Amino acid sequence: TESPPLRVAFVAGGRLFMSELASDSSAACTTKEIAVQWTGAKSELERRAVDEPSEFLQDWSLHPEGLTLATTIRGRAFTMGLWDGPALSYPCADVDAVVDALEEAFREKKNTTDATPTPGAAALRHVATRATGSFAPRARLASYLWDGKRL
């Protein structure tokens, strides 16, 4: 039996699209634009400005040579050129990878290869995922190191 096509909706350039992906990889993907008619208030379509953007800025650091700026905004780390170029986002560390590395370092320090649970690893994993599944970790500080090449 042939499985039904997978439907994916996405936004591109402010317009809504839907693609049907066939289960057969050789079949073509069909994409069509979904027409949306706004029936709400016209004021909802206008551009909005943030009243106090400084409320979202948590931390900033200037490059040692004054080339770029590193910022922490709403829990995410960014760097941006002072006069040109895009803002670059930096992902936070993967919680599972960090806990696994800590467990490995503990085993190396104890000089053991058994699967004994590392003290605190389960609690750390529980706190990091808030016991409700994964969440995006938040950055607390974005700062350039002394050489200006690392963040």
Side-chain angles (χ1 to χ4, degrees), residues 56-95:
F56 300 108
L57 179 67
Q58 295 167 318
D59 188 42
W60 63 274
S61 173
L62 191 61
H63 187 275
E65 295 176 8
L67 303 173
T68 58
L69 181 71
T71 61
T72 307
I73 301 170
R74 299 180 69 189
R76 294 184 61 199
F78 296 91
T79 58
M80 60 195 82
L82 296 180
W83 308 110
D84 61 349
L88 303 175
S89 176
Y90 294 89
C92 292
D94 177 29
V95 173

Side-chain angles (χ1 to χ4, degrees), residues 3 6-7 55 111 119:
S3 61
L6 175 66
R7 291 185 175 156
E55 291 179 7
N111 203 10

